[in-house]
Amino acid sequence: MTTVGTLIDTQGRVLRDLRISVTDRCNLRCVYCMPVDGVAWLPRADVLTYEEIVRVARIALGLGVTGIRLTGGEPTVRAGLEVLVRALRDLDPALDLSLTTNGLKLAAMAGVLRQAGLTRINVSLDTLDRARFRQIARRDRLHEILAGLEAAKRAGFSPIKVNAVLMRGFNEDEAVPLARWAREQGYELRFVEWMPLDSQRSWSTERLVPAAEILAALQREFPLDRVPGTDPSAPAELHRYRDGGGTVGVIASVTRPFCERCDRIRLTADGQVRTCLFAHEEHDLRGALRRGASDEEIGGLLKAAAWRKEPGHLINQPAFQQPARGMSRIGG
Ligand code: SAM
Ligand code: SF4
């Protein structure tokens, strides 16, 4: 039996973008995400199997989901990621299937992932300076990411997006060097505002580098024109280099929230549905999956969760409270 309906919420938003975290584990320790010693990993038995993930994805596709992004933690550290990619691709040849990765393992995996049916790739990189990278990611592995990006290009991924987070006191002056490099390499760069989702709770408005400041720095170097929005649910505000050098984007989740256009729903590695990065409530799917619930029941749980999607985050309001899970355990 198939499920019917769509994932719609009380605000009339239809949720079409499913973000699946395949693991909470990671091979870096970025300062804006994780503490130096990492976080306690989920017990393996709590993590959904690939079969369970594919089942949820199949049901979600039946409910109108059109895009799936695999994330983590670091998704490439989970063994056999290409097997999951192939199984998801087999669900629907038209599925927009993407991956967010720190790029460390792409040199070895980009070709395999592409062949398995991955359509798009986002690589996170916050500096091109080796010493700074070591400071931010707490590992001396910048060269491996650059090799991974090259491998992604060779494998035929296009476009390749690069996501950068800027933090005051670490890499606030990297906007222009990163933009220059991305233009030369043909990568689509997106600056993501630092959000209060770090496990060590060191976020502050003073250390956040706002999108407006990033854009002003870019404008001084490269004249830009705002690209009128094409996809209303896309969070990135895009700007085109006037000299034809492509586009650069900012994702101003904190200073210019786009909650009213958000069409995302998330599945954590341990099978909890989250309808907002900043949600305090989670909806347990793992229990239902493991006690033999039917597709209709799973679909019903997804629909009920979607219906309760938070109208918006409250970061800029006094009532804001950071959620218990950090970004690496939610799936960014
Ligand atoms: N490990 C992979 C990676 O780094 O791309 C995937 C997971 S990571 C949590 C997904 C994205 O979230 C990355 O682009 C990372 O830079 C971003 N991120 C992590 N913590 C963040 C925070 N507190 N605020 C904003 N972005 C954050
Ligand atoms: Fe790992 Fe990604 Fe978090 Fe960095 S941002 S610590 S790579 S999960």
Side-chain angles (χ1 to χ4, degrees):
M1 289 278 280
T2 50
T3 41
V4 287
T6 50
L7 300 176
I8 189 163
D9 76 355
T10 54
Q11 312 296 303
R13 294 172 296 188
V14 179
L15 312 188
R16 301 209 181 273
D17 180 359
L18 173 62
R19 310 246 149 167
I20 300 178
S21 172
V22 300
T23 180
D24 60 324
R25 297 175 188 233
C26 189
N27 42 12
L28 293 181
R29 297 286 181 277
C30 306
V31 286
Y32 50 76
C33 182
M34 266 204 217
V36 65
D37 298 325
V39 289
W41 306 136
L42 289 166
R44 277 186 195 276
D46 287 359
V47 174
L48 294 190
T49 64
Y50 284 159
E51 289 75 16
E52 288 168 331
I53 292 175
V54 174
R55 182 170 177 219
V56 175
R58 175 174 54 73
I59 295 168
L61 260 57
L63 292 170
V65 162
T66 54
I68 292 183
R69 176 170 293 277
L70 301 176
T71 181
E74 175 46 42
T76 59
V77 302
R78 181 151 175 192
L81 184 67
E82 68 283 2
V83 176
L84 175 65
V85 169
R86 166 56 61 202
L88 293 172
R89 171 55 61 217
D90 287 346
L91 291 177
D92 179 0
L95 175 67
D96 177 15
L97 182 56
S98 56
L99 174 76
T100 299
T101 172
N102 62 26
L104 276 184
K105 296 187 78 173
L106 276 186
M109 291 176 70
V112 178
L113 290 171
R114 176 104 181 133
Q115 273 167 17
L118 190 69
T119 353
R120 294 192 296 122
I121 208 154
N122 282 30
V123 176
S124 307
L125 182 59
D126 314 302
T127 178
L128 295 164
D129 180 89
R130 180 175 170 186
R132 264 195 186 171
F133 182 87
R134 210 170 41 217
Q135 249 190 328
I136 294 173
R138 301 185 177 112
R139 301 284 186 274
D140 187 12
R141 301 183 73 175
L142 172 64
H143 55 290
E144 291 170 66
I145 297 179
L146 297 176
L149 277 160
E150 286 296 327
K153 239 192 241 182
R154 277 196 307 279
F157 285 104
S158 176
I160 295 171
K161 291 189 183 167
V162 172
N163 292 350
V165 176
L166 301 188
M167 287 173 76
R168 217 171 287 296
F170 277 92
N171 60 341
E172 73 223 70
D173 54 353
E174 289 279 348
V176 169
L178 278 168
R180 188 172 293 120
W181 164 81
R183 277 161 52 95
E184 283 163 14
Q185 298 292 328
Y187 303 134
E188 287 191 10
L189 181 63
R190 305 278 180 268
F191 290 97
V192 184
E193 281 183 346
W194 187 29
M195 294 178 273
L197 286 171
D198 54 320
S199 298
Q200 64 280 25
R201 297 179 181 243
S202 60
W203 183 90
S204 70
T205 39
E206 292 74 34
R207 297 178 76 198
L208 155 86
V209 184
E213 184 178 324
I214 297 170
L215 280 173
L218 293 174
Q219 281 278 13
R220 280 195 292 276
E221 193 74 13
F222 314 102
L224 295 168
D225 290 316
R226 174 85 192 260
V227 180
T230 39
D231 175 0
S233 63
E237 178 189 305
L238 285 188
H239 295 258
R240 195 180 304 287
Y241 296 109
R242 219 170 275 164
D243 66 2
T247 60
V248 61
V250 288
I251 302 181
S253 321
V254 178
T255 60
R256 289 201 285 262
F258 38 83
C259 304
E260 77 281 359
R261 291 177 277 122
C262 177
D263 68 346
R264 294 180 181 175
I265 183 164
R266 290 182 154 80
L267 180 66
T268 66
D270 55 344
Q272 308 301 301
V273 175
R274 294 180 64 90
T275 45
C276 177
L277 275 175
F278 300 93
H280 289 284
E281 187 186 19
E282 298 186 338
H283 310 266
D284 180 38
L285 269 200
R286 189 186 68 218
L289 287 164
R290 293 187 179 174
R291 68 169 177 268
S294 66
D295 285 3
E296 274 104 336
E297 284 171 81
I298 302 290
L301 290 171
L302 282 170
K303 284 195 278 189
W307 184 250
R308 292 169 66 94
K309 183 174 169 73
E310 297 69 5
H313 70 59
L314 304 170
I315 297 176
N316 303 310
Q317 296 174 34
F320 175 75
Q321 282 189 331
Q322 189 165 333
R325 282 189 199 245
M327 189 69 135
S328 65
R329 301 188 73 216
I330 296 172

